[in-house]
Amino acid sequence: MARLSFRPCGSRKALSPLRPLTTMGRGGGGSMRILVVCGAGASSTFVAQRVRHAAQARGLDITATAGTEQSLPIDLDAADIVLVGPQLIPKLDRITEAAAARGTRVILMPADIFRDLDGSRTLALITAPAAATTRSSTDIPSTERTSS
């Protein structure tokens, strides 16, 4: 059975190098750390919980925690991948820049991700190739962007 753990956002631990998903899971040598960020943290809590359950069902060693835009500077230090809620599209470039400085991959979640009740679609975002899921705000049609 996969080891899943919950670590409150903002906890400080020594960073390990980013590991590819192929090294995770049973005997794979480490846990992938996912940070789910939305505006206030309520939606991200549900998404983090669902992705943990989906990962456990697939035997993947993933930790997923919820964070907020305000806690992001601290929480980034403990993440390998950041899933960004669609309500933060106006701030996506800033989030991506801060994450890149730490070697952290950023994935923009689609607007309907909160309907992913079993976490399988969210987990697929994490396991997809990086180029297929990482977007900057300039890649997003202006009709999807909102002002902050």
Side-chain angles (χ1 to χ4, degrees):
M1 173 169 259
R3 177 186 61 82
L4 293 177
S5 62
F6 178 77
R7 185 173 57 245
C9 290
S11 64
R12 298 258 183 190
K13 288 194 173 188
L15 293 178
S16 59
L18 189 64
R19 290 175 297 279
L21 291 172
T22 56
T23 65
M24 296 182 347
R26 296 183 182 121
S31 176
M32 178 62 69
R33 300 163 304 176
I34 309 300
L35 173 63
V36 184
V37 179
C38 69
S43 304
S44 58
T45 299
F46 292 114
V47 173
Q49 180 182 29
R50 291 169 183 165
V51 80
R52 282 195 305 270
H53 288 263
Q56 183 178 24
R58 287 191 44 196
L60 297 175
D61 190 7
I62 290 178
T63 60
T65 57
T68 65
E69 179 187 357
Q70 290 74 32
S71 68
L72 193 59
I74 294 169
D75 296 340
L76 273 174
D77 289 335
D80 296 312
I81 295 176
V82 178
L83 297 176
V84 178
Q87 62 272 49
L88 293 179
I89 287 174
K91 302 187 177 158
L92 185 61
D93 287 338
R94 184 180 51 80
I95 292 168
T96 301
E97 185 177 306
R102 294 167 170 90
T104 301
R105 182 173 154 209
V106 173
I107 299 171
L108 176 63
M109 294 185 290
D112 66 346
I113 200 66
F114 304 109
R115 289 186 266 159
D116 177 26
L117 299 181
D118 67 357
S120 60
R121 283 185 52 228
T122 309
L123 186 60
L125 290 173
I126 296 164
T127 58
T133 57
T134 305
R135 294 167 58 183
S136 72
S137 65
T138 57
D139 298 328
I140 300 163
S142 60
T143 55
E144 289 183 41
R145 289 186 230 150
T146 58
S147 60
S148 49

